[in-house]
Amino acid sequence: MLNPHDGVVARAQELSELDALLGAAASAGPQCVIVEGPSGIGKTALVDAFAALHPDLPVRRAEGTPWERGLRGGVLAQLGVASPPGSGRLDEEGSGAEAWGPDGDQPAWLPAGRAAGEWLAGLTGAGGPTEGGPALVVLDGLEDADELSLEALAFALRRLRGPVLVLAACGPAGTRPASPAAQFAGAVRARRLRLGPLTHEALRELAFARAGVDLGPDAVQALWRATGGNPGLALEALADGVEALGAETLAAEGPRAVVRSVAERAEAALAGLPAPSRALVEAVSVLGGTPSAAAAAQLARLPEGDAEALLAAADAAWAAGLLECRTVAGSLQVTIRDPLVRDAVHAGLGPLRRSTLHARAAELSESTRDRVRHLVAAAAMPDGDLAAAVDALAEAEAAEGDWGAAADALVAAARLHVDPALREDRLVRAAEAMIGAGDLTRAAPLARQIESLPQGAERDAALAYHAIHTGQARRAGALLARAWETRPPTAPADLSARIAQYRVLDALGNWDGEAMLAWTETAVRIAGPDSTAGIEARAMLGLALGLMGRHEEARRAYDELSSSAHLAGRDQRLRLGRGWVALALDDMDTARLELRAAIPPARRPGSLRIALWAHAWLARAEFAVGRWDDALATARAGLALNDPVGISLVEPVLRLTAAQVCALRGQAAEAAEHSQQAQSGPEAYPVMRLSGAMAAAAVAESAGDYAAVLRALEPIVHMDRTPWVDEPGFWPWQDVYANALVMAGELDRADAFLAPLEAAARGVGHRSTTARLGSVRGRLLGAQGRLDEAVAVFEESLAAIEGLPLPWGAARVRFAYGQTLRRAGRRRDASGVLAAARDAFAVLGASVYVARCERELQAAGTGVFRSRAGSRAESEDAGAHAPVPAPAAFTAQEEAVARLVADGRSNREAARELFVSVKTVQYHLTRIYAKLGIGSRSELAAVYRGGAADEEAL
């Protein structure tokens, strides 16, 4: 999505973070944030876009440049900081070196620091350009700012109390620990905001907005490979591509593989190296990854066994910024620092030298995988014998579950085979392997080629597999049905097993437990229970049983599989399924443990698809237990992983958590963006439509727009929900819909909707679902004037959720309970329930609901805790007692802790109620005591009682 500033694309999250820091500066004093990233990543564009979004904000700007780095006070002069009297202006010729001199024994920067402090105070003080409001100070090129200016600004900012946001853009040189920029960042405790690469979709939008080229999928992928998502490099590649290829060819195929400036940078660096160092770098580019220096030296034909020559060659390349060197287990490892430079070095070898080096690398390789890879890279034409070797490698990689490596081998085999039928077969299998690896972006062009092949079971199965992961439910179902029906009588068992496995995934997307179970059993029967395909199918068996409500059978299925001697390292699907079922059954400890285990620390072979689903459900688990920072981080990590591979089936589930957290925290723009991205068309799978509808409903409910909640969820109400959509625990949307019906006054519809769901939840003893539905039933009874019955239902709901680590669910029940009591006139009873809900919302960071609770408490005639404390301080008789100072505003977490401790809770009890650690409670108590000027729990309780007495008198 393009932001209002033309130079910045897809930086909504970063702009939202800067907005939050601006708000913090306005309320809590100076804030400093440093935007970091490589050249061309868009640091200055982001800063400019932020300033453009706040046209009424006074901005003072300075820019560091390499040639002015030695000009003492140069940045201060650009900002307009006045130099000491009689020293002249800093921007006058000859004044820069003397303007800021030492003052006796004091540091040389102290006069400059005082001047900067006066300037900042004047900028934000009464009568200044901000009239007491916030101001923005922009420091571009922080890595090249002069040291004196940074020292002075750090001195001033550490003493300033006014509302200033310092926004600095800093390149890699400024992040080195000893650099003045890094020391400045540490001195002012700057927040670091590192810009990452643009997503594929953002690159496409950038190309259209800035170059007028509508890139196709293949072209976007080519642009990503050439630029690594760097917008500056992308614009250069697009400009060169339009000139060299024309807009039409560029839109279809993308730019050249190496960006011109990267190639020039690589060649310039190589040209300055001694011959042995250049040969070493070229050898590393051929070997790829992080080879041992000894292997690279052998390929480069450096003197054998001459460690001194190797170190000298590596040192020169390291000094030139080309190689990264480190010692691992007594062996020197080398890699080219920048992957784009590695590609440029490799491309610059020329066809003959590149083929020669790869052939020699094949001779030196110790593994079959590396030998075949280098032989393929050295090949200049089809080769049947080499193709057969590559086929064997592909089978070995697939047996190990490394679908990415298998796909690479099959693509190579398709190119090397002489027989057209074999080429087509390898092409189909390569597409399936790419999808198995989770890389739909690479699979897409192959899928388009496969479309042109004659119809057959192999072709249809591959296209169906692709359609499943791109969310095309109807197409996938039709292709799978035809593939199964048209299998030739002599079809190999692995084809039938693959089709059965794909039908399991199709049933999962349709949330059809019976079909999942039937096709899982079919796949296991055909492939064998201990084969790779059989193990993968058995991992889905427990999930199929779980979503059908057969919970004990699901547990037994997973226990049986986990004890299998044939599982080996293929437990990722087992972990995902077991964690998913545990989440649905409110077993949060098991859910989080298993789902985390399904996410490898780095991309493990064949794991990306499963890792994405694990991210999606782990984010849901973290949300449920109140760890919303972790939930949002997990969802964002999953979206970042999915961006380059494009698995549409899982994206809405990831977007759901991100939308919900952002909406509840009042980050409306980001929440709306996630909700919009979560929506899918009528042809999409039910799991996608469920997630999108829940995301839209969460955003609407946070805004208090219950009509929009109903609109968002009506398609789910009217879809076929018989295949297990309403099984308790898996898709918690029903209470949100029923609550919106009650809030809209449609009480009869709410009653009819709730009744069968309540019966189902009670029938299986699902506690959290019983509590969620019960809170709506209580609200409904209250609206009907049946208050005693409502109170009984609310109490039953609280009892049902008691002991479960579900703070958001419990707080929602209390909020509905408190609202119902308050609207029935029971204000005192309502106040206690609403205060408990507000405290829980505050700990979660649900600012939208904290505000709603505050409004309800005010309507009930009850102030918040800080009002009580303040009234006590103001009414204290200064002549009789030492005055209790009016406190600084409590944070939401401090307010929640203060209320509970003042009510007599121990630290451990408060921690349990707020779902935080005891140490966190102790930390907040220390700050509370300091703000109130007290030193004990009894004094805190006295302040609380005094505030309550004051309110009673009112």
Side-chain angles (χ1 to χ4, degrees), residues 286 346 353-363 374-375 377-378:
V286 167
H346 189 258
R353 178 159 170 73
R354 186 164 55 246
S355 178
T356 301
L357 282 172
H358 276 291
R360 176 167 167 73
E363 295 173 4
H374 286 300
L375 285 175

Side-chain angles (χ1 to χ4, degrees), residues 56 122 145 192-193 220 235 316 355 359 395 421 437 505 546 556 583 587 614 647 725 790:
D56 298 330
R192 297 182 181 276
L193 183 61
V220 172
L235 291 173
S355 178
E395 289 182 13
L505 295 177
R556 286 199 299 272
L583 171 63
D587 184 358
I647 299 180
V725 168

Side-chain angles (χ1 to χ4, degrees), residues 278-432:
R278 177 167 187 149
L280 183 67
V281 174
E282 291 174 343
V284 174
S285 79
V286 167
L287 293 172
T290 306
S292 70
Q298 192 176 11
L299 181 58
R301 298 186 184 276
L302 298 186
E304 188 173 352
D306 190 340
E308 187 174 343
L310 169 58
L311 290 172
D315 191 67
W318 171 82
L322 287 170
L323 285 188
E324 192 72 50
C325 308
R326 64 178 182 272
T327 301
V328 178
S331 172
L332 182 64
Q333 310 286 310
V334 291
T335 188
I336 296 178
R337 287 177 178 171
D338 185 342
L340 299 181
V341 172
R342 182 264 172 197
D343 292 344
V345 172
H346 189 258
L349 291 171
L352 179 59
R353 178 159 170 73
R354 186 164 55 246
S355 178
T356 301
L357 282 172
H358 276 291
R360 176 167 167 73
E363 295 173 4
L364 299 174
S365 296
E366 297 179 355
S367 73
T368 301
R369 176 185 293 179
D370 288 341
R371 183 180 67 81
V372 173
R373 176 171 64 86
H374 286 300
L375 285 175
V376 169
M381 60 182 63
D383 183 330
D385 292 337
L386 179 56
V390 177
D391 282 341
L393 176 63
E395 289 182 13
E397 302 285 17
E400 293 178 9
D402 190 344
W403 295 109
D408 291 339
L410 288 164
V411 168
R415 192 176 75 243
L416 291 167
H417 271 296
V418 179
D419 185 342
L422 291 177
R423 287 203 297 268
E424 291 178 359
D425 175 76
R426 300 311 183 265
L427 194 70
V428 171
R429 289 169 55 193
E432 289 182 289

Side-chain angles (χ1 to χ4, degrees), residues 596-644:
R596 281 184 190 140
I599 301 174
R603 284 194 187 184
R604 202 166 61 197
S607 69
L608 183 56
R609 280 186 308 124
I610 308 305
L612 285 170
W613 281 107
H615 274 87
W617 294 111
L618 178 59
R620 298 306 303 155
E622 299 288 18
F623 176 83
V625 301
R627 300 177 66 93
W628 288 5
D629 287 341
D630 292 340
L632 189 56
T634 301
R636 285 172 174 168
L639 289 168
L641 274 177
N642 191 42
D643 174 67

Side-chain angles (χ1 to χ4, degrees), residues 887-914:
F890 285 169
T891 66
Q893 290 82 0
E894 288 167 355
E895 189 175 319
V897 169
R899 175 179 293 279
L900 290 173
V901 172
D903 282 345
R905 307 294 205 287
S906 68
N907 288 1
R908 187 171 299 280
E909 289 169 336
R912 188 182 303 116
E913 188 158 341
L914 296 175

Side-chain angles (χ1 to χ4, degrees), residues 619-856:
R620 298 306 303 155
E622 299 288 18
F623 176 83
V625 301
R627 300 177 66 93
W628 288 5
D629 287 341
D630 292 340
L632 189 56
T634 301
R636 285 172 174 168
L639 289 168
L641 274 177
N642 191 42
D643 174 67
V645 298
I647 299 180
S648 303
L649 185 62
V650 71
E651 182 171 349
V653 190
L654 290 162
R655 296 280 182 189
L656 164 59
T657 302
Q660 200 165 11
V661 174
C662 291
L664 291 168
R665 288 183 165 176
Q667 299 165 342
E670 188 175 351
E673 177 68 15
H674 284 299
S675 174
Q676 182 180 355
Q677 294 292 328
Q679 304 310 309
S680 50
E683 299 295 316
Y685 280 103
V687 296
M688 300 168 67
R689 287 184 281 144
L690 276 163
S691 301
M694 289 173 66
V699 172
E701 187 179 58
S702 293
D705 188 348
Y706 294 102
V709 173
L710 295 175
R711 288 195 300 273
L713 293 174
E714 283 291 346
I716 307 304
V717 174
H718 296 299
M719 72 187 297
D720 180 10
R721 304 194 338 259
T722 52
W724 321 108
V725 168
D726 288 332
E727 181 64 29
F730 282 97
W731 298 101
W733 63 276
Q734 300 88 347
D735 62 307
V736 177
Y737 178 75
N739 184 68
L741 287 174
V742 174
M743 299 301 286
E746 300 191 40
L747 305 187
D748 291 340
R749 283 183 63 193
D751 182 38
F753 180 77
L754 279 172
L757 299 171
E758 291 169 310
R762 286 194 298 268
V764 297
H766 199 280
R767 292 167 59 188
S768 67
T769 302
T770 298
R772 289 187 296 100
L773 297 174
S775 72
V776 184
R777 173 63 68 181
R779 192 189 286 277
L780 172 60
L781 290 168
Q784 293 172 331
R786 298 155 63 184
L787 187 61
D788 290 342
E789 294 174 72
V791 168
V793 170
F794 278 122
E795 291 293 340
E796 289 171 4
S797 298
L798 289 173
I801 208 167
E802 178 71 26
L804 294 177
L806 304 174
W808 165 244
R812 277 180 67 91
V813 174
R814 287 191 171 92
F815 178 63
Y817 191 3
Q819 274 192 319
T820 301
L821 290 171
R822 202 272 301 168
R823 295 177 185 186
R826 291 174 56 173
R827 295 191 301 165
R828 181 166 296 280
D829 292 336
S831 296
V833 178
L834 288 166
R838 182 207 48 203
D839 292 347
F841 288 137
V843 171
L844 291 169
S847 58
V848 170
Y849 276 84
V850 170
R852 287 183 186 173
C853 286
E854 297 286 9
R855 290 195 294 271
E856 291 288 338

